[in-house]
Amino acid sequence: MNKRLEDVNVKAFLFDMDGVLFDSMPNHAKAWVHAFVSLGLKFTDYDVYMREGMTGSSTINEVFGAQLGRCATEEECQRIYQFKSQYFESLPAAKVIPDVDGVLSTIGAAGKEIFLVTGSGQASLLDKLNHAFPGIFQKERMVTAYDVKKGKPDPEPYLMALVKGGLKADQAIVVENAPLGVRSAVAAGIFTIAVNTGILRDEELLNNGADLLYHSMAELKADLPRILRVAQRSF
């Protein structure tokens, strides 16, 4: 059952990264498809988008289980993920998602906190964020692959963000672009906005529980004043 914006008293927005802040999903799709096809396994761009947020080893084991009838060994997981990562790093750097700067500045101007909740564990993550979004993302307001034992769609990443922020579930709004990320946020009890910046059908996000859906950050930015006005539950 979808949550009502009227029941939120928003103090913070929790942002995913890939496909929300950076237009990096096309590169991830190319890299994953390249890695699996090189092994003679079938994998498509759509498969990648549907699994966004899943850990690398979980992705590999799911494909191995479906097509080879077994789990990958630890050595296989490391080798395949390294191959995928090296190919990903060889591609042109992803650009910032159009209009996300305006979304972030509007939220900041309204006095709301901004958190990052990502399955990424890259060492240069904070430098990358500070270069693209100076002064917006702080290390103490980030949840990465290093902070959790279970990735999305488990609720742990978003529950961890609530703990870090001293927030209740009804004091936050999540901005996601992936079905598994939406499912993670919904399982954590948080009002969830889906922005479909990729190739997925809208129903992939709505069927996983998204409370609102937009097709671009420009659409979200245009509706943000209403969201901020409505999500101010009085006690």
Side-chain angles (χ1 to χ4, degrees), residues 93-141:
K95 296 181 180 180
V96 170
I97 290 282
D99 296 298
V100 73
D101 288 306
V103 171
L104 293 170
S105 62
T106 300
I107 291 170
K112 309 304 178 184
E113 295 183 350
I114 295 173
F115 284 74
L116 181 79
V117 182
T118 177
S120 175
Q122 63 189 75
S124 60
L125 185 58
L126 190 56
D127 289 340
K128 179 181 178 181
L129 288 165
N130 283 336
H131 177 74
F133 310 103
I136 293 180
F137 291 96
Q138 311 299 325
K139 187 174 182 180
E140 62 271 17
R141 294 177 183 172

Side-chain angles (χ1 to χ4, degrees), residues 219-234:
E219 281 189 14
L220 172 57
K221 180 185 174 184
D223 202 29
L224 257 183
R226 181 191 70 86
I227 291 171
L228 290 164
R229 183 179 67 253
V230 175
Q232 297 290 346
R233 177 161 54 89
S234 58

Side-chain angles (χ1 to χ4, degrees), residues 15-196:
F15 282 82
D16 178 39
M17 185 176 72
D18 291 306
V20 172
L21 301 178
F22 297 102
D23 190 19
S24 46
M25 282 309 297
N27 284 358
H28 281 294
K30 290 176 183 176
W32 273 121
V33 170
H34 180 70
F36 283 122
V37 169
S38 71
L39 297 173
L41 299 172
K42 296 178 182 178
F43 209 60
T44 68
D45 287 8
Y46 205 87
D47 293 329
V48 178
Y49 278 80
M50 284 297 294
R51 288 165 176 78
E52 182 190 347
M54 190 179 287
T55 64
S57 59
S58 295
T59 299
I60 293 164
N61 277 315
E62 189 171 278
V63 175
F64 266 52
Q67 298 188 40
L68 300 179
R70 66 175 179 87
C71 288
T73 66
E74 183 65 28
E75 187 275 332
E76 284 174 324
C77 282
Q78 291 178 0
R79 176 166 47 81
I80 295 167
Y81 191 72
Q82 182 179 24
F83 184 77
K84 177 262 178 184
S85 298
Q86 288 175 342
Y87 189 83
F88 177 83
E89 294 297 334
S90 75
L91 297 170
K95 296 181 180 180
V96 170
I97 290 282
D99 296 298
V100 73
D101 288 306
V103 171
L104 293 170
S105 62
T106 300
I107 291 170
K112 309 304 178 184
E113 295 183 350
I114 295 173
F115 284 74
L116 181 79
V117 182
T118 177
S120 175
Q122 63 189 75
S124 60
L125 185 58
L126 190 56
D127 289 340
K128 179 181 178 181
L129 288 165
N130 283 336
H131 177 74
F133 310 103
I136 293 180
F137 291 96
Q138 311 299 325
K139 187 174 182 180
E140 62 271 17
R141 294 177 183 172
M142 292 170 56
V143 176
T144 72
Y146 296 119
D147 296 305
V148 297
K149 294 181 179 179
K150 297 178 181 178
K152 304 170 186 178
D154 192 272
E156 184 182 3
Y158 283 108
L159 291 174
M160 177 68 71
L162 295 179
V163 171
K164 281 195 171 190
L167 300 163
K168 297 178 181 178
D170 62 358
Q171 294 176 323
I173 291 176
V174 165
V175 181
E176 266 283 357
N177 73 304
L180 298 186
V182 168
R183 199 189 310 171
S184 171
V186 169
I190 308 171
F191 188 93
T192 304
I193 294 173
V195 184
N196 194 356

